[in-house]
Amino acid sequence: MGILKERFKAKADIAAVEIKDLLKEHGSKKIGEVQLSQVYQGMRGITGLVSETSLLDSQEGIRFRGYSIPELQDKLPKAKGGSEPLPEGLFYLMLIGELPTEEDVAHISSIWQRRSHVPNHVFDAIDALPVTAHPMTMFVTGIMALQTESNFAKRYAEGINKKDYWEPVFDDAMDLIARLPRVAAYIYRRKYKNNQHIHPNGLLDWAGNLAHMLGFEDESFKELMRLYMTIHADHEGGNVSAHTTHLVGSALSDPYLSLAAGMNGLAGPLHGLANQEVIKWIYEMREQLKTEKPSKEQIGEYVKKTLGEGKVVPGYGHAVLRKTDPRFTAQMEFGKKHMADDPLVQTVWNIYEEVPPILQSLGKIKNPWPNVDAHSGALLVHYGMVEYEFYTVLFGVSRALGVLASLIWDRALAFPIERPKSVTTALVKRWLNGEDEIWGD
Ligand code: CMX
């Protein structure tokens, strides 16, 4: 067993005993009451999941194992000469629960380099799709084609002891994370760069190598990728991509099947696809207004037009957050440092001034503030990555870090198959009339 695996196993054994004791003593304690409106409206606010890797506070935003994004930027190891955190370090933190040393991070970089080989049939599967296919369709196809490599699926077929499930899940997670940058870069270069692919550079860190294979050698783009891959990685357990990965994994579907399911959820416009929608929306605004840099008044009018057409303003609002997303702020800081004069980035900042009061004035939107997707595209465009349909793939590569670290924990803690109870409206009506009961199991 490798060092990382051993360390994880030691932590997981302690946690499993703690949880067992905790449930023995407090298992029947009530966490809260569920309202009928929550049952109908997306289970908002119902605590029903355990996800060890991060926790979201509605006011403060995300904390990964207790650390905020600015704290991660301060405390996680950096690339040589760089100032942004290496995502390898965040993965270590999410998996082990402690800050990594430089050596731990170098160890993960080298494991991921070693395991990054993508078999040819994966590229063939992607190539079988028309080049017009959406990059997220290609990405999920690539992940599904990689499933032939699943250690968990093989070991399960051989009859693995359930106590050992976590181990091949750990191996699959590491393999998958190692291979995703190559799959993502292949999709980008196939669709947008004439099928001219770039070999990996084994000397680079995971995110730096992704930037390199995409075709961006600028050191500050590599820094952006390190930041991007860190801040998009996890957002506790209830968001669609994390919850789906966890749910599908609970059926003992292997990590490839589980991640592909989660990525299909990320591809929805109310979730990860919002990052492409933001840039598309700004481009359309600029085209309609015939200006590269719309004024604040023009932006305000355009927002009202969007709302009037029954559409959402992409990049704004959140199911849990009630303040500006710290992931937005981290990207804004990056923008100020590297490209303060960029007209598109400035437009994003002007939108940030204009949109919240308008959304607030509608009276129904719980959070008028920007989320992570409001900013990310403008930074990518600055470096020349203008192909916005690709953006959600980048989100997905990063999100794999969090959801796969969680999946390893799920199996180590022997979480059972997920199966909440559903009801029909007919039953709800009978229950309201006192003619029937709504059972909890
Ligand atoms: N623009 C217009 N209307 C919005 C809105 C926005 N940005 N955000 C919320 N609303 C509307 C909702 O559609 C809902 O309208 P109806 O009552 O007519 O159905 C109402 O305001 C109340 O919604 P809410 O409780 O404030 O928000 P939800 O928890 O239901 O939804 C989210 C959260 C993110 C789906 C929603 O804010 C939204 O659609 N935002 C735009 C898309 C987006 O940026 N998604 C990315 C989120 C981050 C991520 O996962 O990557």
Side-chain angles (χ1 to χ4, degrees), residues 238-282:
N239 66 79
V240 171
S241 52
H243 187 186
T244 308
T245 307
H246 165 83
L247 167 69
V248 174
S250 83
L252 298 186
S253 305
D254 64 57
Y256 294 83
L257 300 173
S258 306
L259 182 70
M263 292 298 105
N264 278 315
L266 192 75
L270 296 190
H271 189 18
L273 201 83
N275 63 6
Q276 82 164 40
E277 295 298 295
V278 167
I279 291 301
K280 187 167 167 248
W281 180 79
I282 297 176

Side-chain angles (χ1 to χ4, degrees), residues 44 270-271 274 307 312-313 315-317 319 364-366 371 373:
R44 211 69 88 252
L270 296 190
H271 189 18
L307 293 169
V312 295
V313 178
Y316 282 76
K364 67 168 184 178
I365 296 172
K366 297 194 191 68
N371 58 58
D373 302 314

Side-chain angles (χ1 to χ4, degrees), residues 88 109 112-118 123 139 175-218 221-222 225-226 229 385 387 390 393-394 397:
E88 286 90 331
S109 278
W112 289 348
Q113 273 159 15
R114 258 202 328 272
R115 296 187 177 205
S116 63
H117 175 72
V118 175
F123 302 126
F139 189 51
D175 286 347
L176 245 169
I177 294 169
R179 291 161 177 174
L180 290 177
R182 180 90 168 94
V183 173
Y186 186 85
I187 292 165
Y188 183 70
R189 305 287 308 177
R190 173 184 185 236
K191 189 169 168 80
Y192 304 112
K193 303 289 169 190
N194 247 343
N195 240 330
Q196 289 177 330
H197 299 286
I198 299 170
H199 286 295
N201 177 346
L203 298 174
L204 286 169
D205 55 283
W206 183 75
N209 188 36
L210 169 62
H212 160 74
M213 289 188 290
L214 289 166
F216 296 84
E217 294 302 347
D218 191 321
F221 186 85
K222 291 196 175 94
M225 278 301 100
R226 290 166 191 138
M229 292 295 134
M385 185 183 271
E387 303 88 354
F390 182 72
V393 175
L394 289 181
V397 175

